[in-house]
């Protein structure tokens, strides 16, 4: 909807987008007449109000609007029926009328276009969006019609209060004020009692006005049934209405056909209206004392149970003390009456009925989740009955980093944001309706899987929660779906862990240096022994100590163990060579001993170098 400024009003507003301009060309003439005034007032007073429906300032303003509406509701019938509006005081009546009209206009131009609203789970605070939203509601149309200037007919009929009946069409503000008052007050049942009593008084008020009109039509004092014109007219007619609607009796009998018909209608309306009022009053008082009645019922049933099983008196006193303390400290027990009734009704339902309701409401959302695509259709149906719907308010944290994850979340409506930073205000990503998060916690085989991010609601968010235990109980009956989910879980977990493994390998390669090459002195000793003819002994040492490509050093302790084992093997080979030398000749035996001594000396020196 385009809000254009008047042709002569500088400065002109910026041109709207082309598509939006074509879309919003057709407008009702009454609405279009108010648009320039609305735009001009909002531009002149830009910070006068940007309110939420629950703000106390807005509730106070609604009080004045409701007072103006009640002026018309109560006094239009009085001014029409009773002769209280005279030429001497007509200026006072008109002043009050136009003051109420000014309040109506201020509500339309100032407050309602600046009222925040919820769209798709988000709280809309943009001034243009709020203004356009108000103009598309049914309330805006009724508000405009309520200000239709029928006072122009005063020129032909004189000041007739019935011409102000369009002002009664602003009735929506009355019901909104009732809702806001009940939300603000701590004891809302008090206001409900006052409101119900007001309904009764207003019905008597209308009946009193009609009785005076009927008496005037028949002629004041013409019969015993009509008003005789003595005393205060409104009080005497109101007294007649009370006796008629409450059916007290003691009234004079009607004589004419008009009086009989009027009285019959009064009796019928009185029976139904008064019974409805009594029923509403009973409901209001019952709701006000529901918590106390539930507490008394629980207390009585517990005492009856303890007496039937002969529970010791000391135990009974302790239980009674606990009930009394719980009621006095909390004002209610842990379980609410309405919640218990709802759970009892759910237990009465058949499983098929719960399944049908769950499928009709939630299947279109869950079927779009990629995690469950390809699974058994009946398994998805069973899954729908285990979903728990939770509504998060704007700014509520769905999960926090470091928490143990036991649930998966499916966004039904609204948006959530992954936040971080020192003040948890940095938004990394926004997840919208139909998306899933937390599935790693649901599919991970081992326990102790912690959340890796902070997720909070952006606006109002309605989420489905699936518990890990509920999924495990369902998958027992669907092995094929269980295998498919395990395969998907393995793929997701492997995908998440690959970068971590690569980084770990790089760190290990940097921390543990590669094994150094064989010392030159040891290579020289090997060549000497090969020339001497004892190749078997040091060939084995060469295989043990020769470094392989890519082999890394385990540590200094590993070197020491290999060194000791190699020395022992060398000594064994030396002894074996000595035996061969004795068989072959003393000269070879002496060479073997010398080589063994040199080897031990070399290993000792090598051990010192390693230290």
């Amino acid at each position: 909807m385009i809000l254009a400024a008047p042709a002569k009003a500088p400065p002109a507003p910026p041109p709207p987008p082309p598509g939006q301009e074509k879309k919003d060309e057709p407008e009702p003439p009454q609405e279009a007449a108010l648009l320039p005034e609305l735009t001009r007032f909002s531009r002149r007073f830009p910070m006068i109000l940007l309110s939420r429906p629950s703000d106390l300032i807005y509730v106070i303003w609604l009080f004045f609007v409701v007072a103006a509406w009640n002026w018309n509701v109560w006094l239009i019938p009085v001014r029409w029926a009773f002769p209280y509006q005279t030429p001497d005081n007509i200026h006072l009546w008109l002043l009050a009328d136009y003051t109420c009209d000014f309040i109506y206009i201020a509500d339309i131009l100032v407050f309602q276009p600046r009222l925040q609203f919820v769209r798709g789970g988000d709280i809309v605070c943009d001034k243009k969006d709020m203004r356009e939203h108000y103009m598309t509601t049914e309330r805006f149309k009724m508000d405009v019609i309520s200000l239709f200037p029928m006072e122009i007919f005063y020129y032909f009929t004189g000041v007739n209060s019935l011409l102000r009946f369009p002002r009664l069409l602003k009735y929506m503000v009355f019901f909104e004020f009732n809702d806001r008052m009940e939300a603000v007050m701590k004891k809302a049942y008090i206001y409900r009692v006052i409101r119900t009593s007001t309904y009764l008084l207003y019905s008597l008020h209308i009946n009193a006005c009609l009785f005076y009109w009927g008496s005037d039509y028949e002629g004041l004092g013409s019969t015993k049934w009509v008003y005789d014109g003595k005393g205060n007219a409104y009080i005497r007619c109101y007294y007649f209405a009370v006796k008629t609607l409450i059916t007290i009796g003691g009234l004079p009998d009607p004589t004419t056909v008009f009086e009989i018909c009027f009285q019959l209608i009064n009796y019928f309306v009185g029976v139904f209206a008064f019974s409805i009022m009594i029923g509403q009053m009973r409901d209001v008082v019952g709701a006000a004392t529901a918590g106390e009645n539930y507490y008394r019922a629980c207390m009585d049933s517990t005492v009856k149970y303890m007496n039937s099983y002969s529970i010791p008196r000391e135990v009974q006193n302790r239980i009674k003390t606990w009930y009394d303390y719980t009621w006095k400290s909390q004002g209610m027990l842990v379980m609410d009456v309405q919640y218990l009734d709802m759970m009892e009704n759910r237990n009465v339902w058949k499983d098929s009925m719960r399944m049908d309701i769950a499928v009709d409401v939630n299947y279109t959302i869950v079927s779009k989740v990629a995690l469950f695509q390809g699974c058994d259709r009946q398994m998805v149906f069973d899954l729908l009955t285990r979903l728990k719907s939770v509504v998060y308010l704007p700014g509520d944290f769905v999960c926090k980093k470091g928490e143990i994850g036991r649930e998966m979340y499916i966004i039904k409506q609204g948006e959530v944001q992954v936040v971080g930073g020192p003040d948890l205000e940095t938004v990394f990503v926004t997840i919208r309706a139909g998306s899933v998060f937390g599935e790693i916690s649901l599919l991970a085989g081992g326990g102790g899987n912690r959340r890796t991010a902070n997720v909070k609601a952006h606006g109002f968010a309605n989420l489905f929660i699936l518990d890990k235990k509920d999924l495990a109980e369902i998958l027992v009956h669907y092995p094929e779906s269980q295998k498919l989910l395990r395969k998907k879980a393995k793929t997701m977990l492997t995908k998440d862990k690959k970068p971590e493994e690569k980084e770990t390998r790089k760190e290990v390669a940097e921390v543990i240096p590669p094994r150094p090459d064989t010392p030159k002195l040891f290579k020289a000793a090997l060549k000497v022994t090969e020339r001497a003819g004892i190749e078997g002994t040091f060939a084995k040492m060469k295989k043990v100590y020769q470094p392989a490509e890519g082999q890394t050093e385990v540590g200094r302790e590993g070197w020491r163990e290999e060194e000791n084992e190699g020395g022992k093997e060398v000594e064994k080979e030396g002894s074996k060579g000595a035996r061969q030398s004795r068989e072959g000749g003393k000269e070879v035996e002496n060479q073997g001993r010398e080589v063994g001594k040199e080897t031990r000396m070399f290993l000792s020196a090598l051990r010192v170098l390693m230290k």
Side-chain angles (χ1 to χ4, degrees):
M1 185 173 296
I2 307 304
L3 300 179
K8 298 181 180 180
Q20 190 174 1
E21 185 177 7
K22 295 180 180 180
K23 179 180 178 182
D24 297 327
E25 283 181 356
E27 291 292 339
Q30 292 180 349
E31 297 181 9
L34 282 177
L35 298 184
E37 296 297 331
L38 177 60
T39 306
R40 187 188 307 169
F41 199 93
S42 300
R43 190 180 295 114
R44 188 172 299 175
F45 302 99
M47 299 303 294
I48 193 168
L49 182 68
L50 182 60
S51 65
R52 294 183 296 272
S54 59
D55 286 344
L56 184 59
I57 297 178
Y58 180 67
V59 176
I60 295 174
W61 169 251
L62 287 180
F63 171 78
F64 290 104
V65 181
V66 170
W69 181 76
N70 276 285
W71 167 269
N72 296 303
V73 168
W74 287 78
L75 292 180
I76 285 177
V78 172
R79 295 162 63 183
W80 165 74
F82 292 91
Y84 292 148
Q85 180 177 298
T86 62
D88 296 334
N89 59 12
I90 189 66
H91 62 282
L92 299 177
W93 291 104
L94 293 178
L95 178 62
D97 290 342
Y98 295 141
T99 301
C100 295
D101 293 346
F102 175 77
I103 295 176
Y104 277 27
I105 295 173
D107 183 62
I108 296 176
L109 297 180
V110 180
F111 284 84
Q112 296 301 326
R114 294 172 174 266
L115 199 63
Q116 298 176 4
F117 66 98
V118 178
R119 181 173 59 192
D122 295 334
I123 300 177
V124 179
C125 301
D126 185 71
K127 296 180 180 178
K128 182 179 179 182
D129 292 341
M130 290 187 294
R131 185 168 59 247
E132 293 179 355
H133 173 263
Y134 170 61
M135 292 183 179
T136 57
T137 59
E138 188 71 20
R139 179 170 179 175
F140 175 72
K141 299 177 182 178
M142 300 302 294
D143 290 347
V144 172
I145 296 175
S146 67
L147 287 174
F148 188 78
M150 293 192 67
E151 286 82 356
I152 57 178
F153 294 102
Y154 284 174
Y155 181 78
F156 304 100
T157 64
V159 180
N160 189 349
S161 62
L162 287 180
L163 294 176
R164 291 184 55 84
F165 75 90
R167 305 296 186 271
L168 307 182
L169 297 178
K170 200 177 175 63
Y171 61 91
M172 293 184 181
V173 69
F174 174 70
F175 296 104
E176 183 185 3
F177 178 72
N178 292 334
D179 296 337
R180 303 305 172 198
M181 283 295 296
E182 292 181 3
V184 170
M185 296 180 64
K186 294 182 179 179
K187 296 182 178 180
Y189 66 89
I190 298 177
Y191 180 76
R192 296 192 190 106
V193 171
I194 297 174
R195 185 182 61 197
T196 306
S197 302
T198 306
Y199 291 159
L200 178 60
L201 296 177
Y202 184 74
S203 62
L204 297 174
H205 169 79
I206 296 297
N207 191 268
C209 295
L210 292 175
F211 177 68
Y212 186 87
W213 169 81
S215 299
D216 187 52
Y217 177 79
E218 286 287 308
L220 298 179
S222 59
T223 63
K224 294 182 179 180
W225 182 83
V226 298
Y227 170 60
D228 57 3
K230 298 179 181 179
N232 190 294
Y234 181 78
I235 297 298
R236 289 184 176 271
C237 292
Y238 201 91
Y239 175 74
F240 171 86
V242 171
K243 295 180 67 176
T244 302
L245 292 183
I246 304 180
T247 62
I248 296 176
L251 295 172
D253 295 331
T255 57
T256 65
V257 177
F258 176 81
E259 294 174 358
I260 293 173
C261 294
F262 188 92
Q263 193 66 9
L264 286 175
I265 296 173
N266 260 348
Y267 282 140
F268 280 113
V269 174
V271 169
F272 285 104
F274 197 70
S275 61
I276 292 173
M277 297 301 172
I278 292 177
Q280 287 187 357
M281 191 67 70
R282 182 200 60 189
D283 295 338
V284 170
V285 176
T289 59
E292 185 176 359
N293 294 335
Y294 178 65
Y295 158 72
R296 296 297 179 189
C298 291
M299 187 73 170
D300 295 340
S301 60
T302 304
V303 172
K304 183 178 179 181
Y305 176 84
M306 292 188 296
N307 292 331
S308 61
Y309 285 92
S310 302
I311 303 298
R313 183 63 58 182
E314 183 179 357
V315 178
Q316 292 189 22
N317 292 333
R318 291 179 59 189
I319 294 176
K320 292 178 182 178
T321 303
W322 180 84
Y323 268 103
D324 293 336
Y325 177 78
T326 304
W327 171 253
K328 292 178 182 179
S329 60
Q330 300 181 5
M332 61 179 293
L333 299 179
V334 180
M335 301 299 293
D336 191 7
V337 181
Q338 297 179 354
Y339 179 76
L340 287 177
D341 294 340
M342 182 187 69
M343 294 304 295
E344 290 176 1
N345 293 332
R346 285 189 60 185
N347 293 333
V348 172
W349 290 352
K350 296 180 180 179
D351 293 338
S352 60
M353 296 175 62
R354 291 204 299 267
M355 176 70 71
D356 293 340
I357 295 175
V359 170
D360 292 337
V361 177
N362 304 325
Y363 180 73
T364 55
I365 299 174
V366 179
S367 61
K368 296 179 183 179
V369 178
L371 181 64
F372 300 116
Q373 291 180 358
C375 295
D376 192 296
R377 185 181 179 88
Q378 188 61 36
M379 190 275 290
V380 178
F381 288 168
D382 293 342
L383 199 67
L384 294 174
T385 60
R386 303 297 184 97
L387 294 177
K388 301 175 183 177
S389 179
V390 179
V391 177
Y392 289 88
L393 300 179
D396 286 351
F397 277 91
V398 180
C399 60
K400 293 186 178 181
K401 186 176 181 180
E403 293 180 347
I404 302 297
R406 301 182 183 89
E407 303 92 5
M408 182 188 75
Y409 301 92
I410 304 174
I411 304 176
K412 179 182 178 182
Q413 185 181 10
E415 297 177 354
V416 297
Q417 293 178 339
V418 180
V419 297
D423 53 354
L424 298 179
E425 294 295 335
T426 304
V427 179
F428 297 119
V429 66
T430 301
I431 309 174
R432 294 177 172 82
S435 303
V436 180
F437 63 96
E439 65 273 15
I440 299 297
S441 302
L442 195 70
L443 301 176
N449 187 25
R450 295 183 179 273
R451 305 289 188 188
T452 58
N454 298 299
V455 181
K456 72 175 183 179
H458 176 61
F460 292 89
N462 189 357
L463 273 61
F464 285 134
I465 299 179
L466 179 61
D467 192 78
K468 189 173 184 178
K469 294 181 180 179
D470 295 336
L471 180 62
E473 292 176 359
I474 295 174
L475 291 178
V476 172
H477 307 286
Y478 302 96
E480 296 297 330
S481 299
Q482 187 176 12
K483 292 179 182 179
L484 179 61
L485 290 178
R486 284 182 178 178
K487 184 178 179 180
K488 290 184 179 181
K490 185 177 180 180
T491 303
M492 297 171 65
L493 292 173
T494 304
K495 183 179 179 181
D496 294 340
K497 289 184 178 180
K498 280 184 178 180
E500 298 179 359
E501 293 178 356
K502 291 181 180 179
E503 293 178 359
T504 305
R505 289 180 181 176
K506 290 181 180 179
E507 293 178 357
V508 171
E510 294 177 357
V511 173
I512 302 178
R515 185 173 179 176
D517 296 335
T518 305
K520 296 181 179 181
L521 182 61
F522 188 69
K523 291 180 180 180
L526 290 175
K527 292 181 179 180
V528 172
T529 53
E530 288 177 358
R531 292 176 182 177
I534 309 177
E535 296 180 1
T537 302
F538 287 96
K540 192 169 184 178
M541 292 175 58
K542 185 176 181 181
K543 292 180 181 179
V544 174
Y545 285 95
Q546 187 174 2
E549 293 183 6
Q551 182 179 3
T552 58
E553 181 179 357
V554 179
R556 185 171 293 178
E557 295 295 331
W559 265 97
R560 292 177 181 176
E561 292 177 2
E562 292 181 2
E563 177 187 339
N564 294 333
E565 292 177 1
K568 293 178 181 179
E569 291 178 358
V570 170
E571 288 180 0
K572 291 180 181 179
E573 294 295 334
S575 301
K576 184 177 180 181
R579 287 195 298 271
Q580 293 177 356
S581 298
R582 280 194 295 271
E583 294 176 356
K586 294 181 179 180
E587 184 177 356
V588 177
E589 181 179 358
N590 294 332
Q591 291 180 357
R593 290 178 179 176
E594 291 177 359
V595 171
K597 291 180 181 179
E598 291 177 359
T599 302
R600 285 192 293 273
M601 293 175 61
F602 172 74
L603 293 175
S604 300
L606 184 62
R607 189 181 296 110
V608 172
L609 292 175
M610 290 297 297
K611 292 181 179 179

